[in-house]
């Protein structure tokens, strides 16, 4: 049989590429290089409420096949992060920022710090006191021009808006209670015919509540609450001296504390709910005052003092009208100025006399001393006025006296955080954690 070599050669040449391909192994193609790790430019970061910062992340090895990074935040209510690694703070709190590539991750532990607002006053060169608001240790607003005496006694921040309560002298010599919004007068609570004082402010549901007192035509101070600049409650009838010291709104209910003189010329510490007495905290046999109120879980906590049988005022905390903690032993003067409840713990600030007219600045937690600020060699008067707690940190405001003046200060936990003024007072502190959720 005759072989057809030309046809055979064509078949062999046609099959040759298939034979060659079949002989090639996958091992001849280099495998893509995977990601070994992702390293953040900062393992930890702190931002202020309005802060932004860009993080970078390095993917190793440098010749990894796919180095595409994906950014994420564990809590976007605290901070967001862009596809470029730009972090924007939203609310005070903690979040983990993660950069991921090729199944590997790098992280940054982020803390967004709250803003610290303080209201008070300062005096310069023997001029009248000026009402002031500070933010994070720096002066934010001078509420008054220094031509007449003024003071700011309480501050509250809601959705970034700063509300302050206090008073300013008028041309007829009367003190006018005022509310400021972002440094500008929002309400003058009275017409200036009588002395009126606004000492506490609270914002709830967009309404601004203010507590204080106004002297009537007989010169008697009447405890009052105003809502959005208009009188809401006259808590007392004006027959005896009375003062409202603090206001708190919870569940739409307005709670106020203060004191009212009785027929024996003793002051009774009281709590009002709406415009009616909820608790008389003391029996009226000795002087007493309720300085501060805080409502948590429907429970009403009050701080103040009551004189003992030796005439020494004793710092106390009441819970729903009953003594919860007696904070000092009564051998020397003590006073509880402000109360704050966080995670079920009751924090109080105030003072305790260490020798005549010299006071140790104290913070108590659940009835026990937590911090003492004043040095043992303190020779001048000092006072703590206000307390707030966030994330386990305790912030207080007051003043510390020295031969060089009265320094308005803020303390955090057991140390000084800010000196606000060399001659004045830090009356009220508010820890602002960001917009309402």
């Amino acid at each position: 049989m005759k072989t057809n070599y030309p046809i055979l050669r064509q078949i062999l040449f046609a099959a040759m590429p298939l034979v060659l391909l079949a002989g090639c192994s996958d091992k001849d193609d280099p495998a893509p290089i995977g990601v070994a790790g992702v390293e953040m430019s900062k393992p930890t970061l702190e931002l202020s409420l309005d802060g932004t910062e860009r993080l970078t992340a390095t993917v190793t090895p440098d010749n990894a096949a796919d180095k595409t990074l994906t950014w994420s935040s564990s809590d976007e209510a605290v901070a967001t992060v862009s596809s470029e690694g730009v972090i924007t703070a939203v609310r005070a709190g903690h979040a983990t920022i993660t950069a991921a590539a090729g199944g590997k991750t790098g992280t940054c532990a982020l803390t967004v710090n709250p803003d610290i607002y303080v209201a008070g006053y300062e005096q310069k060169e023997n001029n009248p006191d000026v009402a002031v608001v500070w933010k994070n240790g720096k002066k934010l607003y001078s509420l008054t021009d220094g031509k007449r005496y003024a003071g700011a006694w309480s501050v509250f921040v809601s959705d970034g808006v700063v509300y302050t309560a206090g008073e300013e002298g008028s041309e007829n010599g009367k003190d006018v209670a005022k509310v400021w919004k972002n440094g500008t007068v929002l309400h003058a609570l009275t017409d200036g015919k009588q002395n009126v004082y606004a000492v506490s402010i609270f914002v709830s549901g967009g309404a601004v509540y203010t507590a204080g007192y106004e002297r009537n035509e007989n010169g008697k101070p009447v405890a009052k609450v105003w809502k959005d600049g208009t009188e809401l409650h006259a808590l007392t009838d004006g027959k005896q001296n009375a003062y409202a010291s603090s206001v708190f709104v919870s569940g739409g209910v307005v709670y106020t504390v203060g004191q009212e003189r009785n027929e024996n010329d003793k002051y009774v510490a009281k709590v009002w709910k709406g415009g009616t007495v909820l608790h008389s905290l003391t029996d009226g046999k000795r002087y007493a005052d309720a300085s501060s109120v805080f409502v948590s879980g429907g429970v009403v906590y009050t701080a103040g003092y009551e004189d003992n049988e030796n005439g020494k005022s004793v710092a106390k905390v009441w819970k729903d009208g009953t003594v919860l903690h007696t904070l000092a032993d009564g051998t020397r003067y003590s006073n509880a100025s402000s109360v704050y409840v966080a995670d079920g713990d009751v924090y109080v600030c105030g003072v305790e006399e260490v020798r005549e007219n010299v006071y140790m600045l104290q913070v108590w937690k659940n009835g026990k001393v937590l911090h003492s600020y004043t040095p043992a060699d303190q020779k001048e008067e000092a006072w703590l006025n206000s307390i707030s707690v966030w994330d386990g940190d305790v912030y207080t405001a007051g003043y510390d006296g020295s031969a060089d003046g009265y320094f308005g200060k803020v303390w955090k936990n057991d140390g000084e955080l800010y000196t606000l003024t060399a001659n004045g007072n830090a009356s009220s502190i508010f820890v602002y954690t960001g917009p309402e959720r």
Side-chain angles (χ1 to χ4, degrees), residues 11 95 144 225 229 231 273 295 307 324 344 366 375 394 430:
I11 292 172
T144 57
V225 177
E231 184 179 310
K273 180 180 179 180
V295 182
D307 281 2
L324 177 65
N366 298 330
V394 181
F430 192 96

Side-chain angles (χ1 to χ4, degrees), residues 29 153 214 301 362 389 416:
D29 286 338
W153 303 110
E214 179 176 13
Y301 298 86
Q362 302 277 47
V389 180
E416 182 183 318

Side-chain angles (χ1 to χ4, degrees), residues 207-266:
V208 182
Y209 298 84
T210 314
Y213 56 95
E214 179 176 13
R215 293 192 180 275
N216 62 17
E217 61 279 2
N218 298 319
K220 300 286 187 183
V222 179
K224 291 188 175 184
V225 177
W226 295 264
K227 178 182 179 181
D228 290 335
T230 301
E231 184 179 310
L232 178 65
H233 301 302
L235 302 173
T236 55
D237 60 12
K239 295 178 181 178
Q240 297 285 352
N241 292 351
Y243 307 88
S245 303
S246 178
V247 63
F248 195 104
V249 182
S250 177
V253 180
V254 182
Y255 297 86
T256 316
V257 300
Q259 61 178 179
E260 183 177 17
R261 182 185 284 173
N262 63 14
E263 61 279 1
N264 299 320
D265 287 336
K266 305 295 185 184

